[in-house]
Amino acid sequence: FHLDFSETRVQAVDLQAIAQALPPKLRSLRLVADYTETTPPTVATLIEHLPRGLTALYLGLANTKVDVASAVKLAEALPRTLVSVRLFLDGPSEEAADTVHRVLQQ
C-alpha cells in the first residue's frame, strides 16, 4: 500500500482520517508525508491504527511537526511482526530521528 503526500497541502486531520482507514490486515505500508502538517496528534492516531500484522513499513515524516516524544511513542508501538522498517524524521525532526534510532536499537 503506497501513499505519497510529500510536499502537498494535506492537513493533519486528513492524515488522521487516512490512518483510521488503514486496512487491519495490511502487510506493507509506504506512507510518505514529508514537508506536510503532520503533528503529534497525527502520529498518535497512526500508532492507534497501525495494522498489527505489518511486515514492512516505510514512513516518511521529514520536515514535519513531529516531536521527540511522539517519535519515541511511534518507535515503541511498532508491531513486532515488522521485518523491514524505514523511518525518516530529518530536518526539524532530526532530534526525533536520533532518539528513535536509539529506541529501535534496544
Side-chain angles (χ1 to χ4, degrees), residues 69-92:
S70 296
V72 168
K73 286 178 187 173
L74 174 62
E76 292 172 342
L78 290 175
R80 300 293 174 221
T81 54
L82 285 171
V83 175
S84 174
V85 179
R86 297 194 76 185
L87 300 176
F88 294 91
L89 295 158
D90 61 341

Side-chain angles (χ1 to χ4, degrees), residues 11-99:
Q11 299 295 309
V13 67
D14 301 321
L15 292 170
Q16 287 174 299
I18 291 163
Q20 292 170 347
L22 290 174
K25 294 186 179 186
L26 193 65
R27 295 289 178 243
S28 177
L29 175 61
R30 180 180 176 93
L31 177 60
V32 184
D34 301 326
Y35 298 94
T36 63
E37 293 296 316
T38 304
T39 61
T42 308
V43 173
T45 302
L46 181 60
I47 290 168
E48 183 181 344
H49 295 282
L50 262 181
R52 294 293 117 203
L54 274 180
T55 58
L57 176 64
Y58 177 108
L59 189 56
L61 298 173
N63 292 293
T64 62
K65 296 178 180 178
V66 175
D67 60 13
V68 173
S70 296
V72 168
K73 286 178 187 173
L74 174 62
E76 292 172 342
L78 290 175
R80 300 293 174 221
T81 54
L82 285 171
V83 175
S84 174
V85 179
R86 297 194 76 185
L87 300 176
F88 294 91
L89 295 158
D90 61 341
S93 307
E94 197 160 342
E95 182 184 353
D98 293 341
T99 304

